[in-house]
Amino acid sequence: MAKIEAQQYGDRKVYSVAAFNHGIADWLSRLPTVWVEGEVTELRRQQRWASVFFTLKDPSDGACLSVSMPRSQFDALRLDLVNGERVHAYGRPELFEGRGDFRFRALSLERFGLGDHLAALERLKGKLAAEGLFERKRPLPRFPRRIGLVTGNDAAAKRDVLTAITTRFPPARVVVAETYVQGPRAAPAIVESIAALCDIADMDVIVLARGGGSFEDLLPFSDERLVRAVAGCRVPIVSAVGHEQDTPLTDLAADVRASTPSVAARLVVPDADELRERLEQTVGRLRRAPLLTVERKRARLEGAYGRLRALAPRATLERGYAIVRSEGRIVRAAGDLSTGNRVDVELGGGGFGATVDETRE
């Protein structure tokens, strides 16, 4: 270990940043391992990273602690942690000398139970589900006249939705309601925005969009007031909040859930190029259409003629059968004749007269 030395400026000792960081890191490394309790937030894990990073948050006062853990050890625990869960982390503090970043180096993790927020959300979810708020699912309009977009100011989600809508369907008319999408003022502000859009007479569908964020960032979208507003909206709502793995309660209350804001745009408007291609195909079919109709009718007539001809008496005679008449009436049973009666016999080719010599029942 390199010796930590200070430079002497008169009667003042001055440490370089590297020396100071090294001294603090060395001192921290001698502290004992401890257990720390907190709620997991901002969990970040990527395959190419050697470590997993997350933040432990104290639910009582919001104090936060950055934590890292070797990815192999984290994966071996198979905890499948999600943001909001409470854990006990075992490890020691450390300082990353190059950047002066302080963090807690976790050596082991144990699930302590659901975090306060997560447990509250589960209770609310059960309550709203029992009321049937998540059951109504209305189809989206095929060609919406006007689309409402509730999103944050200058948000990437807003840009993604608008770009995708105008690219797919340039005639689309979009009304953007910019509002808070994070923090304590977000839920009531979003409720007001939805209500304002619903007051527009020709509003056909509303997209609620927000990009990804931490568990706390997305909490407004599980607020009971907002969830009820989404479920009770007079027009269909598409919820595009967070990433694929995030499931705020607005996703359950909305008529359609989109995994990303861009996907939401593809759900609410058709693709103009596809519509144009289908229209051209339809026009082409109409230009062959009269001749095709005549041919189809001719085929149906020929089929009917063939079936009728097969049922005609003449066709029966041609197969070797005969028609017997007595006094102009068709003989259907031997009992209709007596010995000595004259009969006319019609064949498939011609006919002849005959006298009845005997009858057999």
Side-chain angles (χ1 to χ4, degrees):
M1 182 179 297
K3 187 177 180 181
I4 303 169
E5 295 181 347
Q7 295 183 355
Q8 196 75 33
Y9 291 89
D11 58 352
R12 179 182 300 170
K13 285 186 176 181
V14 179
Y15 292 91
S16 68
V17 172
F20 177 82
N21 284 356
H22 183 68
I24 296 298
D26 178 58
W27 180 78
L28 290 174
S29 67
R30 284 177 273 155
L31 293 178
T33 51
V34 295
W35 287 96
V36 179
E37 178 184 320
E39 291 182 0
V40 174
T41 65
E42 300 177 333
L43 179 63
R44 304 182 303 280
R45 178 197 178 282
Q46 291 193 18
Q47 196 66 30
R48 65 178 184 273
W49 291 355
S51 297
V52 174
F53 301 92
F54 56 94
T55 299
L56 283 182
K57 182 176 181 179
D58 191 323
S60 63
D61 61 5
C64 294
L65 175 65
S66 297
V67 182
S68 67
M69 185 174 186
R71 184 167 57 83
S72 58
Q73 294 177 240
F74 181 88
D75 293 346
L77 295 174
R78 299 183 180 275
L79 293 177
D80 295 325
L81 292 176
V82 296
N83 287 325
E85 290 194 80
R86 184 172 292 184
V87 298
H88 283 175
Y90 180 73
R92 59 163 47 92
E94 69 173 8
L95 186 75
F96 181 62
E97 296 182 34
R99 296 178 55 88
D101 291 338
F102 173 80
R103 65 168 67 98
F104 185 81
R105 184 69 166 177
L107 304 175
S108 182
L109 286 174
E110 293 181 4
R111 178 181 275 108
F112 182 65
L114 292 176
D116 293 341
H117 290 313
L118 192 60
L121 288 182
E122 287 299 318
R123 290 193 297 269
L124 178 60
K125 178 180 176 182
K127 170 188 171 182
L128 299 180
E131 294 181 20
L133 260 67
F134 303 149
E135 296 178 2
R136 185 185 69 170
K137 303 298 175 186
R138 294 166 295 181
L140 302 182
R142 184 71 179 91
F143 300 101
R145 293 165 296 177
R146 193 178 294 274
I147 303 163
L149 173 59
V150 180
T151 186
N153 182 31
D154 295 328
K158 179 181 72 173
R159 182 186 65 248
D160 292 345
V161 174
L162 291 177
T163 300
I165 287 178
T166 55
T167 300
R168 284 174 60 83
F169 198 66
R173 295 180 296 169
V174 183
V175 179
V176 180
E178 296 179 352
T179 184
Y180 295 107
V181 291
Q182 183 174 326
R185 291 188 288 179
I190 297 172
V191 170
E192 291 180 6
S193 296
I194 291 176
L197 291 176
C198 285
D199 287 340
I200 300 176
D202 60 350
M203 185 63 62
D204 289 324
V205 63
I206 294 174
V207 177
L208 179 59
R210 189 208 191 281
S214 68
F215 178 80
E216 289 80 6
D217 293 341
L218 301 183
L219 276 179
F221 295 91
S222 292
D223 186 282
E224 183 173 357
R225 295 165 295 179
L226 178 54
V227 177
R228 291 188 181 277
V230 170
C233 185
R234 72 167 183 83
V235 301
I237 288 188
V238 178
S239 178
V241 178
H243 297 303
E244 178 67 33
Q245 68 272 17
D246 299 315
T247 311
L249 297 187
T250 52
D251 278 2
L252 304 179
D255 297 277
V256 176
R257 187 242 179 184
S259 57
T260 65
S262 297
V263 172
R266 293 197 292 270
L267 290 173
V268 298
V269 293
D271 188 296
D273 292 336
E274 292 180 3
L275 290 177
R276 190 177 299 107
E277 182 179 350
R278 289 169 57 187
L279 179 61
E280 291 174 353
Q281 292 174 351
T282 301
V283 171
R285 286 195 296 269
L286 290 175
R287 293 192 181 120
R288 295 183 312 267
L291 178 61
L292 183 61
T293 301
V294 171
E295 291 298 324
R296 287 176 176 171
K297 289 183 177 180
R298 178 182 298 168
R300 287 197 296 269
L301 287 174
E302 290 178 350
Y305 174 75
R307 290 191 295 273
L308 290 173
R309 188 174 183 278
L311 297 174
R314 177 62 57 186
T316 302
L317 296 177
E318 290 175 354
R319 293 199 297 271
Y321 295 90
I323 299 176
V324 179
R325 292 183 175 88
S326 175
E327 297 179 354
R329 293 176 298 179
I330 294 177
V331 178
R332 301 183 183 280
D336 295 338
L337 297 173
S338 300
T339 302
N341 286 155
R342 290 285 299 173
V343 295
D344 291 321
V345 181
E346 182 180 356
L347 304 174
F352 59 88
T355 302
V356 177
D357 290 336
E358 64 174 327
T359 61
R360 293 186 295 276
E361 294 295 335

